[in-house]
Amino acid sequence: DHGVGLGYYYSRFQDTRVSGFLDANDYAQGFEAFYDAALTPAAHLGFDVQVQRPVLDEIDTSVILGARLNLSF
């Protein structure tokens, strides 16, 4: 048994005074992909990658790698 997923988000400030005060973009966006595999009926191993574009131009785009192991008793 396994699972695969993709996700995308786009968030925009309603009030541009906030982004103007912070000297930031008025939006943020990101992407995530994951894969989960059953090693045994009681053990699942998953991996994911996230890419996030911050609202501040001075900050680089983030790439976050993750792994998780779920054990059921």
Side-chain angles (χ1 to χ4, degrees):
D1 192 22
H2 67 276
V4 176
L6 298 173
Y8 172 78
Y9 79 89
Y10 178 88
S11 178
R12 187 175 184 110
F13 290 116
Q14 285 285 359
D15 190 345
T16 57
R17 292 177 292 178
V18 173
S19 60
F21 174 74
L22 296 174
D23 193 26
N25 298 318
D26 63 349
Y27 67 93
Q29 59 185 340
F31 167 82
E32 179 178 8
F34 74 88
Y35 177 78
D36 182 69
L39 302 175
T40 70
H44 289 251
L45 181 61
F47 300 96
D48 70 278
V49 61
Q50 297 177 28
V51 179
Q52 299 179 352
R53 185 183 186 288
V55 296
L56 298 173
D57 289 329
E58 299 85 36
I59 300 174
D60 292 334
T61 298
S62 301
V63 177
I64 303 156
L65 302 175
R68 64 186 164 274
L69 176 63
N70 294 325
L71 300 174
S72 300
F73 296 95

